[in-house]
Amino acid sequence: MVFATRFAPSPTGHLHRGHAFSALTAFEAARAVRGRFILRIEDIDATRSRPEYEAAILEDLTWLGLNWDQPVRRQSEHLSDYHAAIDDLRERGLVYRCFRTRKELDIGRAPHEPQAPFEGGPLPCHEEAERLTRDEAFAWRLSLAAAKEALGGFETLTFIEEGAGPDGEAGPIAARPETAGDIVLARKDVGVAYHLAVVLDDALQDVTHVIRGEDLFEAAHIQRLLQALLGLPTPTYRHHRLLMGADGKRYAKRDKAQTLRELRAAGVTVAALRAEIGF
């Protein structure tokens, strides 16, 4: 199979240096072996995605000198693929309805504490029926217990890491999907969730190597489980270091990191930017 990797930004803001580093890392890896470089727009979050941000992404990547396979896959145009996967998991008893709100899940948790992996399970049939009758919102959660039973355990779940995780993890990795808990795979407000969409897209686009930041290393564990449950191939993973600013923090949209558009406006050239971030 031809080497294929991808850059998959969400159009919820403008790209910054960190995005440029990740996109160039994937692009140069594909170019080095005359492989495929894929651009995917992950716009399943309809509440935050904006067409003007997508247009800006295309403009920024073109400015960086990147080119990619056509057509560009936009997740919002393929919701039926994700819904079919949810239906398959539901029919096999691998997901359940969860009516708990984010506020309920945060009860007893200090604001600075991360949310612990959720361990729940379906409600009793009569209570679930009552809530459905009241048209209460719910999310579809993956049942780790049902998944473990279906696969006969998680011991055979592994993936190959060619880069490094945040603690230097590399080589054959034993997947630990239990660290994620019963994750949400779909909900009413944002539709399908990231983990499900990304494993389906990678398989449908014949991605052989997932090249992305080490902050997503832990996501590989639950994604490996979804690949097994859905009969999808497992790509090779290559997580890379995160680009840090002068303050020692990684570049992030939420911290209003200087954008590529702002760099261009300030007269920064592509050559200067590439040299600054190590290319």
Side-chain angles (χ1 to χ4, degrees):
M1 184 177 289
V2 176
F3 180 106
T5 191
R6 43 64 166 185
F7 179 59
S10 298
T12 56
H14 292 116
L15 301 186
H16 50 62
R17 284 180 176 87
H19 293 117
F21 180 79
S22 191
L24 283 165
T25 298
F27 177 76
E28 295 294 350
R31 188 164 69 168
V33 295
R34 297 186 178 181
R36 298 169 54 223
F37 177 69
I38 297 164
L39 174 63
R40 181 165 70 229
I41 301 297
E42 298 194 339
D43 59 348
I44 51 175
D45 186 350
T47 62
R48 298 173 59 223
S49 296
R50 298 287 185 271
E52 58 268 29
Y53 289 139
E54 179 182 333
I57 287 170
L58 300 179
E59 181 181 339
D60 288 342
L61 296 180
T62 300
W63 176 69
L64 287 172
L66 276 58
N67 53 73
W68 48 86
D69 285 8
Q70 295 291 346
V72 173
R73 181 179 174 91
R74 294 171 179 81
Q75 290 183 330
S76 61
E77 298 173 353
H78 299 275
L79 297 179
S80 60
D81 292 335
Y82 315 133
H83 294 157
I86 289 290
D87 289 342
D88 174 52
L89 295 171
R90 178 175 53 80
E91 290 169 4
R92 293 158 58 197
L94 297 173
V95 296
Y96 61 89
R97 294 182 180 90
C98 177
F99 294 86
R100 297 168 181 83
T101 65
R102 290 188 179 92
K103 183 177 180 180
E104 289 171 332
L105 293 174
D106 284 343
I107 290 176
R109 180 176 69 89
H112 64 278
E113 293 177 341
Q115 186 168 297
F118 181 83
E119 296 180 6
L123 293 173
C125 292
H126 70 279
E127 185 176 347
E128 180 175 274
E130 290 175 1
R131 291 193 174 218
L132 288 174
T133 299
R134 294 196 295 267
D135 197 29
E136 293 187 22
F138 64 86
W140 287 110
R141 282 190 182 272
L142 176 67
S143 170
L144 279 181
K148 191 171 187 178
E149 182 179 354
L151 296 176
F154 298 150
E155 291 77 11
T156 61
L157 295 182
T158 61
F159 60 91
I160 300 298
E161 175 58 63
E162 288 187 345
D167 295 320
E169 302 94 334
I173 305 291
R176 297 174 288 106
E178 65 276 3
T179 60
D182 290 359
I183 63 166
V184 169
L185 294 183
R187 59 161 46 98
K188 186 175 181 180
D189 55 349
V190 296
V192 68
Y194 163 76
H195 290 298
L196 181 65
V198 76
V199 297
L200 284 168
D201 288 340
D202 285 342
L204 289 168
Q205 295 188 286
D206 294 323
V207 170
T208 63
H209 289 70
V210 171
I211 300 175
R212 61 189 182 187
E214 64 180 23
D215 56 324
L216 290 171
F217 175 79
E218 291 301 325
H221 293 276
I222 196 68
Q223 289 169 10
R224 178 64 186 91
L225 173 58
L226 289 171
Q227 290 156 4
L229 293 175
L230 294 168
L232 304 175
T234 300
T236 296
Y237 289 89
R238 191 182 295 178
H239 292 89
H240 59 70
R241 67 182 177 89
L242 301 178
L243 207 62
M244 303 291 180
D247 58 1
K249 296 172 60 178
R250 71 183 182 93
Y251 293 108
K253 291 178 185 176
R254 64 177 175 273
D255 293 331
K256 301 188 183 304
Q258 189 177 29
T259 68
L260 300 186
R261 295 169 67 84
E262 291 170 338
L263 289 172
R264 284 205 303 280
V268 175
T269 66
V270 173
L273 177 62
R274 286 176 63 100
E276 176 193 336
I277 63 178
F279 290 91

